[in-house]
Amino acid sequence: MAERNLVALWEAHCRCEFETRDVEATMATMVPAPYVNHVPTMTGGVGHNELKHFYQHHFIGSNPPDFRMIPVSRTVGESSIVDEFVLRFTHTTEIDWMVPRIPPTGRPVEIAMVAIVRFEGDKLVHEHIYWDQASVLVQLGLLDASGLPVTGAEAAQKILDKTLPSNALMGNKWQRV
């Protein structure tokens, strides 16, 4: 029963953020002093007022119209959920929380992400969101991957299709046994 409740709470929170794009409804799914940390960029907020300001001005409503989350895996514990997903969008709006100060490039982005979410009772306490920022920057044309051990959309595509090649960044050093 607890597993279904956490999943329902998390999915309701995500609907408020990404479907209805309702700041008040999103905040209502959270404890009085929640926090969100997008780890690669350290964006989000701590406490009701700061997080509400962040949601109003830098997150909810600012994501591109084609913003889509593709579920990959979910682990549910007694008081937390770990969600792995692929995020797809075209960079047609300023996305302060992911690429602060970068104007829209019009380029597509596909990125593997992980959200670690903790609950108290029937409210969300915090979200820690992780992704590979180098992969985002490569896809936006802001980082030249030549000679660097980074990829672009290939990393997310590999999450969705395990049959795609592994070890390409190793070049000639990769040898099958």
Side-chain angles (χ1 to χ4, degrees):
M1 184 68 171
E3 178 178 322
R4 269 186 269 138
N5 288 342
L6 291 184
V7 169
L9 293 168
W10 174 234
E11 289 179 352
H13 176 82
C14 289
R15 273 192 305 280
C16 295
E17 286 180 317
F18 304 115
E19 291 176 29
T20 64
R21 296 182 179 217
D22 184 331
V23 173
E24 293 297 333
T26 301
M27 295 304 297
T29 67
M30 306 179 93
V31 296
Y35 76 93
V36 170
N37 183 17
H38 297 109
V39 175
T41 54
M42 294 174 50
T43 57
V46 177
H48 179 86
N49 294 339
E50 186 175 299
L51 186 55
K52 183 176 179 179
H53 178 84
F54 171 76
Y55 278 153
Q56 282 177 323
H57 301 285
H58 304 282
F59 190 78
I60 296 175
S62 68
N63 290 314
D66 66 346
F67 192 88
R68 181 171 169 226
M69 295 169 54
I70 302 159
V72 174
S73 69
R74 176 174 284 161
T75 302
V76 181
E78 287 186 32
S79 63
S80 62
I81 289 180
V82 177
D83 253 1
E84 177 186 27
F85 55 96
V86 170
L87 183 63
R88 285 185 182 154
F89 62 89
T90 306
H91 188 218
T92 56
T93 62
E94 289 190 30
I95 308 172
D96 293 341
W97 62 272
M98 180 176 272
V99 282
R101 300 184 315 270
I102 303 298
T105 63
R107 293 179 178 227
V109 174
E110 191 169 349
I111 186 75
M113 299 183 87
V114 174
I116 300 168
V117 185
R118 192 165 76 74
F119 298 85
E120 285 180 5
D122 64 349
K123 300 289 184 181
L124 193 145
V125 176
H126 73 71
E127 299 175 56
H128 296 163
I129 313 291
Y130 296 83
W131 68 87
D132 176 6
Q133 187 71 346
S135 179
V136 173
L137 298 176
V138 166
Q139 293 174 72
L140 295 179
L142 302 170
L143 177 64
D144 181 0
S146 304
L148 296 174
V150 298
T151 64
E154 302 86 358
Q157 292 162 0
K158 176 75 173 173
I159 296 293
L160 298 172
D161 182 357
K162 68 180 180 182
T163 66
L164 293 175
S166 298
N167 307 313
L169 291 176
M170 291 184 193
N172 293 335
K173 291 192 177 220
W174 169 247
Q175 295 180 17
R176 292 187 135 165
V177 183

